[in-house]
Amino acid sequence: MSLLHIAVLLPLIFALIIPFVYRLHKRIHLGWFVLPIPLVLFIYFISYIKTTMSGDAVLLKASWMPKFGMNYDLYIDGLSLLFSLLITGIGTLVVLYSISYLSRKEQLGNFYCYLLLFMGAMLGVVLSDNIIVLYLFWELTSFSSFLLISFWRDNSASIYGAQKSMLVTVLGGLCLLGGLILLSTATNTTSIHEMIANADNIQTSPYFILSMVLVLIGAMTKSAQFPFYIWLPDAMEAPTPVSAYLHSATMVKAGLYLVARMTPIFAVSQGWVWAVTIIGLVTLFWASLNATKQQDLKGILAFSTVSQLGMIMSMLGIGAVSYHFEGSDSQIYSAAFTAAIFHLINHATFKGALFMITGAVDHSTGTRDVKKLGGLVTIMPISFTITLITALSMAGIPPFNGFLSKESFLESVIEITHVNLYNLNSIGILLPIIAIIGSIFTFVYAVRFIGQIFLGSYNEDKLPKKAHESSLLMLISPIILALLVIVFGFFPNLITGSIIDPAVNSISKTVSKPAEFHFFHGFTPAFFSTLLIYVLGILLIFTFSYWVRLLQLQPNKLTINYWYNNSGKSVQLYSSKLTDTYVTGFTRNNLVIIFLTLIVMSAIVLLVSPVSVNFKDVSNIRVFEVVIVVLICVAATMMVLAHSRLFSILMASAIGYAVAVFFIYFGAPDLALTQFVVETISTALFLLCFYHLPNLNRYNESKSFKTVNVLISIGAGLVVTIIGLIAYGNRHFASIANYYKAHVHDLAHGKNMVNVILVDFRGTDTLFESSVLGIAGLGVYTMIKLRSKKNTSIKGGNNNEQTEK
C-alpha cells in the first residue's frame, strides 16, 4: 500500500480516533487537533503538481478482492488532483473557521468525526479508479452528509433536510450503480481508465444509452441539477462550516467530477451533448431566478450554488462538442472545458467565503433574515470588504476571478451556435439566451446580497443581538479566500499551466494550447452580452419591488418541493393502509398469506414451465428411515390433536430429536449434537413461556377455519416435497460437498466441516450475519437507554412538581 492509499484513508482513520481525543481533551477546542490532517494532505497533494504538469498520471494498485474485481486502485491525473486540492485546501480553511464558529459546548467529537468521514469519502470518489470502490465512497458521501446536515438533531428542519438529501442522492446513487455495472459489462473491466481506453466497446454496446442515462441521473442528483436540486436548499440547516464545505468543494462537486470523468466515454453521443448542456442551463436559469426571492442569507447562497453548478455543467456539455471535431476546430470547443475548470476553482473561492461571512453575520447579529439586516457596513467593515470582493466575483464583475470564467462561459455558449451539428446552429440559439437571462438574475441576487446585509439603515431593534465585527480567527479563512479571488483575477496564469491545463487535458481528447484569460478580448459578442447583463441587472435591482411580486405569485402546487412532500405523505399513507389489510397482528394470518403465496407462485411456475422428476438416482430406503419417518408423522399428528400444551411441546420436541437421529445415520454427528442442543433449549424456553401465558381455549375454531389450515398445510407440504424432488432430480452442476470434504483440512486446517464452512468458506456471509445481529443489538441497547433517560426525566419532572407544591 502506497502513501497515496494511506492519504485517502487518513481522514477515515482519524474519524474513528477523534471522538476519543475529544473525551480526553475537552479544555482545548477539538478543531486544533483536526486542523493538521487536511493541511498535511493539501501539502502532500501539491507534490503531485509537477507530475500532472508533464502530462503524466499515476496509477497505484492495492489488491483487495480481486476475484470480485474490487481492488483499492487509485488514479491521480490533472482532474483528480484538482479536486483533491479543493477538498483538502477548502477543508483546512473550513476546520480553521469551525474552531471559532462552534462552541466547545457542542458535540464536537461527533462533528469532526462526520467532517473527516466526509472528507475521506470525497477523496475516495475523485481518486478511485475502481468503479465498485468509487460507488462505495460515493454512497459514503451521502451518509456522512446526512450526519452533518442533521448535526443539530433537535431542529426538525435539520432532520427534514438530512432525510431529503439522503433520499435524493441515494436514489441517484442506485442509478449510478446500475450505469457502472453496465459499463463494466461492456468492457469486462472495473477500471475507469481502462473503460476510457476501451470507449469504443461501450459506444457500440447495446447498453450505451441506458448506461449514459443512469450515470447522468447519478451525477444530476449529487450536483443538485434540475429537477433534483430540491435537497440542496434544505441542506443549509447544517452548521455553516458544513454548508461552506458542502457547497464549495465537496459533495455537490462530485457530480461535476463524474460528468467530466465520463465525458471521454459518452461525448460521442448527441444525447450527452444536449442533455448535459440543457440541464445545466435550465438549472442556471431556474435557480438564479429563485435565489432573488429568498429571505434567508443561506437560502440565497444555496440557490446560487445550484445556479453556479448548472453553469459549470453546461460548459462540460458544450465542451463535449470538441469530440466531434479534429485539430483546431476541436480546440475551439474544448475551451469550454477550460472555462468549466476555471469556474470550478473560482466558485470554491468566492462561495466558501460568502458562506463563512454569512455564518459570521449570523453569529454577530443572531439572524440571517434579510428583512432584519442592513446598515452593517460601519459595524462590520472587514466582513463588508470580504463580501464585496466575493459577491462581485460571483456576479461576474471585473477585476475579480469570477468575471474571467463568466466571460469564457459566455464565449463558449455563443460559439456553440456556430456548430453545424445536431441542429445547434438553429435551435441552439436558445442556449445563449437562457445563459444570458440566468446571468442577469445572478448579477441581481449577488449585488443585492451585499446591499441587504451592509447597506441601508441599521435596525438595531429588529436584531436579536447587538451587532459587532467577528473575531479575527473567524475571519482568517474568508480573508484567505477573498485574497485568492483577487489573485486569481489579476494573475490567472498562476494556475493555468499548473492546475487548469492538466485538468482539461484529462477531459479533452485534444491537447489544446495553454489556457489564457484576459479582462478584455475586444468587442466580441461575449463583451456586449456582459454589458447587457450589467444594464438589465441594474434596471432589475432598482425595480425589484415591482417584479419580485410576480415570482411570489407562483402557486405552491407548481413547485417540485410540493410534489416531493405530498408524494412522501401519500406513499406513507397508502402503504400503511395496504399493510394494515394483511398485517393484522395474528401469526396465523401471516402464515396463511406466506404459505398461500408459496403454493400459488409454485403452481404457476410449474404450470408455465413443467419440470420432470428423475427417480433414477434416488437412494434405497432403509428400514430405520421408514421407522423414523413414521415416528415423525405420528408425533406431528398427535401434536395437532393434543388438548394439552405440555403434550404439544413434547411432541414438537420429539420431531426435532427424530430429525437429529437422521443426522446421526447420515454421518453428521456434529449437526446431530447441534440439533439436540437446540431442541433441548427450545423445549425449555417453550415450557417457560407457555407457563406464563393465559389459559385460553383454542379448540373452538369453526370448521372453515380448520379446513383452511388443513388445505394450506397439505399444499405447503406438497410444494416443498415437489421442489425438493425436482431439485434432486435435475442437478446441472456437481455437488460442492466433495470440494468441502477434500479441502476442509488442507485449506482451512479444521476438522469440523460445518464449522469450517461457516467460518472459512462462507466467512463473509457469516461475518455479515454477525454484523446484522450486532447492529440490531446496538439498536435495542440504544432504545433501552433512550427509554431509561425518558423515564428519568419524567420522574425528575414529577419530583420538581412535588417540590414546588
Side-chain angles (χ1 to χ4, degrees):
M1 186 176 290
S2 67
L3 195 59
L4 182 61
H5 290 97
I6 297 173
V8 174
L9 295 177
L10 191 65
L12 303 179
I13 295 170
F14 273 89
L16 302 176
I17 298 174
I18 282 298
F20 297 101
V21 176
Y22 175 64
R23 291 176 177 270
L24 298 175
H25 300 280
K26 289 191 176 182
R27 293 184 179 181
I28 304 175
H29 198 287
L30 189 60
W32 293 113
F33 294 98
V34 179
L35 184 61
I37 301 169
L39 181 59
V40 168
L41 290 176
F42 179 71
I43 296 171
Y44 169 73
F45 284 117
I46 287 177
S47 66
Y48 281 96
I49 290 180
K50 189 173 292 185
T51 302
T52 56
M53 281 182 67
S54 62
D56 296 329
V58 178
L59 175 62
L60 298 172
K61 297 185 176 182
S63 181
W64 186 13
M65 298 182 186
K67 290 186 177 180
F68 297 99
M70 187 174 177
N71 291 316
Y72 183 32
D73 299 339
L74 301 180
Y75 186 77
I76 187 164
D77 59 358
L79 183 64
S80 56
L81 178 62
L82 164 65
F83 279 89
S84 300
L85 291 172
L86 287 177
I87 293 164
T88 53
I90 300 296
T92 303
L93 298 178
V94 165
V95 173
L96 180 62
Y97 174 81
S98 66
I99 294 173
S100 59
Y101 183 87
L102 292 172
S103 168
R104 288 204 298 267
K105 296 179 181 179
E106 300 276 7
Q107 294 180 335
L108 298 180
N110 293 350
F111 176 81
Y112 286 111
C113 173
Y114 304 156
L115 191 68
L116 289 173
L117 197 66
F118 193 38
M119 185 183 300
M122 274 303 302
L123 287 175
V125 167
V126 301
L127 291 172
S128 293
D129 183 59
N130 187 282
I131 58 170
I132 304 175
V133 177
L134 181 147
Y135 173 73
L136 292 177
F137 281 118
W138 183 276
E139 294 297 13
L140 186 57
T141 61
S142 297
F143 174 70
S144 52
S145 65
F146 170 84
L147 295 173
L148 286 168
I149 296 169
S150 62
F151 177 69
W152 286 325
R153 57 181 179 271
D154 293 332
N155 182 7
S156 60
S158 298
I159 301 299
Y160 173 78
Q163 289 176 338
K164 181 184 284 189
S165 70
M166 176 69 87
L167 287 173
V168 175
T169 57
V170 168
L171 173 64
L174 289 174
C175 293
L176 173 63
L177 177 61
L180 294 177
I181 291 173
L182 292 177
L183 292 178
S184 178
T185 303
T187 57
N188 198 28
T189 180
T190 55
S191 169
I192 296 175
H193 82 276
E194 289 181 10
M195 287 180 180
I196 295 173
N198 297 296
D200 294 340
N201 294 338
I202 300 174
Q203 292 157 7
T204 57
S205 168
Y207 307 125
F208 177 71
I209 297 298
L210 180 58
S211 62
M212 182 182 72
V213 171
L214 293 174
V215 168
L216 266 180
I217 293 174
M220 289 164 57
T221 53
K222 204 67 138 185
S223 284
Q225 298 298 293
F226 187 90
F228 303 108
Y229 70 90
I230 55 173
W231 69 267
L232 190 55
D234 288 294
M236 69 180 181
E237 297 298 334
T240 298
V242 176
S243 300
Y245 199 31
L246 190 149
H247 286 250
S248 64
T250 49
M251 184 165 162
V252 296
K253 298 291 176 67
L256 299 177
Y257 167 80
L258 184 67
V259 170
R261 181 60 79 197
M262 293 297 176
T263 291
I265 296 176
F266 296 115
V268 297
S269 169
Q270 65 169 319
W272 179 268
V273 173
W274 273 109
V276 177
T277 305
I278 289 294
I279 289 169
L281 289 176
V282 169
T283 304
L284 164 66
F285 164 76
W286 182 253
S288 60
L289 187 66
N290 278 275
T292 58
K293 64 178 183 179
Q294 301 302 311
Q295 301 297 322
D296 186 287
L297 292 180
K298 288 179 76 172
I300 297 172
L301 294 180
F303 275 99
S304 76
T305 296
V306 177
S307 173
Q308 300 296 306
L309 294 173
M311 175 178 162
I312 298 171
M313 185 72 79
S314 65
M315 284 189 273
L316 293 175
I318 294 171
V321 176
S322 64
Y323 276 80
H324 300 268
F325 295 92
E326 298 291 339
S328 59
D329 291 333
S330 177
Q331 293 181 11
I332 291 174
Y333 302 108
S334 65
F337 288 139
T338 304
I341 295 299
F342 191 31
H343 198 70
L344 192 82
I345 300 170
N346 295 339
H347 176 258
T349 55
F350 64 66
K351 186 53 61 66
L354 286 171
F355 263 107
M356 291 176 185
I357 290 300
T358 297
V361 170
D362 190 11
H363 249 246
S364 174
T365 63
T367 183
R368 301 193 309 255
D369 191 345
V370 295
K371 294 180 179 180
K372 299 178 181 178
L373 295 170
L376 299 178
V377 61
T378 56
I379 301 173
M380 305 178 69
I382 301 176
S383 298
F384 167 72
T385 305
I386 297 170
T387 305
L388 183 67
I389 294 170
T390 52
L392 292 181
S393 176
M394 182 169 63
I397 297 176
F400 307 112
N401 60 353
F403 169 79
L404 297 175
S405 51
K406 182 69 72 69
E407 195 80 355
S408 299
F409 162 65
L410 292 174
E411 289 177 356
S412 299
V413 81
I414 292 172
E415 189 65 40
I416 197 72
T417 60
H418 302 150
V419 181
N420 187 18
L421 184 74
Y422 305 147
N423 294 323
L424 286 168
N425 58 347
S426 55
I427 59 175
I429 190 63
L430 295 174
L431 302 183
I433 294 175
I434 298 172
I436 291 172
I437 295 174
S439 298
I440 291 171
F441 287 108
T442 300
F443 179 89
V444 171
Y445 70 68
V447 175
R448 277 182 52 81
F449 186 84
I450 303 170
Q452 288 171 318
I453 303 174
F454 298 101
L455 304 182
S457 58
Y458 176 57
N459 303 313
E460 184 176 4
D461 55 328
K462 293 183 179 180
L463 300 179
K465 296 165 61 176
K466 186 177 180 181
H468 59 278
E469 184 60 275
S470 301
S471 64
L472 179 61
L473 183 60
M474 185 176 287
L475 292 174
I476 289 176
S477 294
I479 286 173
I480 293 173
L481 291 172
L483 289 175
L484 290 177
V485 168
I486 298 172
V487 171
F488 293 163
F490 282 100
F491 309 104
N493 294 328
L494 288 175
I495 57 173
T496 51
S498 58
I499 297 176
I500 295 177
D501 288 339
V504 172
N505 291 335
S506 300
I507 312 171
S508 176
K509 68 166 186 174
T510 306
V511 180
S512 58
K513 59 183 180 180
E516 293 183 2
F517 297 97
H518 304 284
F519 283 111
F520 184 68
H521 292 272
F523 295 100
T524 62
F527 172 78
F528 291 111
S529 299
T530 301
L531 291 181
L532 179 65
I533 291 170
Y534 294 161
V535 172
L536 293 181
I538 292 171
L539 180 63
L540 288 176
I541 289 173
F542 282 106
T543 60
F544 179 80
S545 59
Y546 297 99
W547 58 267
V548 75
R549 298 173 185 172
L550 296 176
L551 298 181
Q552 294 169 346
L553 292 176
Q554 179 186 5
N556 189 39
K557 290 186 178 181
L558 296 182
T559 62
I560 300 175
N561 268 316
Y562 171 84
W563 292 104
Y564 168 84
N565 293 330
N566 279 273
S567 62
K569 294 176 182 177
S570 299
V571 168
Q572 185 176 1
L573 176 63
Y574 290 112
S575 62
S576 297
K577 288 183 177 180
L578 179 62
T579 303
D580 291 340
T581 59
Y582 61 86
V583 179
T584 58
F586 294 101
T587 305
R588 184 261 182 185
N589 291 353
N590 296 338
L591 292 175
V592 166
I593 294 171
I594 293 171
F595 289 129
L596 192 59
T597 303
L598 172 66
I599 295 169
V600 172
M601 296 303 295
S602 301
I604 292 173
V605 171
L606 292 174
L607 289 174
V608 172
S609 54
V611 180
S612 61
V613 179
N614 182 11
F615 291 99
K616 291 181 180 180
D617 298 327
V618 176
S619 302
N620 294 325
I621 300 175
R622 291 167 287 185
V623 176
F624 68 85
E625 294 173 357
V626 175
V627 173
I628 296 174
V629 170
V630 170
L631 288 175
I632 291 174
C633 293
V634 171
T637 305
M638 295 179 69
M639 180 178 64
V640 173
L641 299 176
H643 292 273
S644 169
R645 286 176 176 171
L646 177 60
F647 188 74
S648 296
I649 295 170
L650 292 176
M651 290 300 100
S653 181
I655 295 172
Y657 286 125
V659 172
V661 174
F662 259 125
F663 291 149
I664 295 174
Y665 276 111
F666 286 116
D670 47 358
L671 284 180
L673 289 172
T674 304
Q675 180 75 7
F676 281 131
V677 172
V678 170
E679 283 300 326
T680 303
I681 296 174
S682 301
T683 303
L685 290 175
F686 269 124
L687 291 172
L688 181 64
C689 294
F690 276 87
Y691 176 79
H692 293 283
L693 288 176
N695 188 20
L696 299 176
N697 187 2
R698 62 166 202 154
Y699 301 101
N700 55 358
E701 297 96 340
S702 63
K703 290 184 178 180
S704 60
F705 183 90
K706 294 179 180 179
T707 303
V708 170
N709 288 354
V710 170
L711 292 176
I712 290 179
S713 301
I714 295 173
L718 288 174
V719 165
V720 173
T721 303
I722 293 171
I723 291 174
L725 292 173
I726 292 173
Y728 183 83
N730 293 272
R731 295 187 178 185
H732 302 288
F733 305 98
S735 174
I736 198 173
N738 295 326
Y739 176 83
Y740 288 146
K741 291 177 182 178
H743 299 289
V744 66
H745 184 71
D746 61 337
L747 292 182
H749 304 286
K751 295 181 180 179
N752 188 319
M753 189 169 71
V754 175
N755 291 349
V756 167
I757 291 173
L758 293 176
V759 177
D760 293 287
F761 291 116
R762 290 179 53 196
T764 305
D765 182 33
T766 306
L767 174 63
F768 282 115
E769 288 180 1
S770 303
S771 301
V772 170
L773 292 175
I775 293 170
L778 288 173
V780 172
Y781 174 77
T782 303
M783 288 189 289
I784 292 172
K785 292 289 289 183
L786 291 174
R787 182 181 179 185
S788 61
K789 287 183 179 180
K790 184 178 180 181
N791 292 337
T792 303
S793 62
I794 292 174
K795 290 180 180 177
N798 294 336
N799 292 336
N800 292 334
E801 290 177 5
Q802 292 175 1
T803 304
E804 291 175 1
K805 290 179 181 179

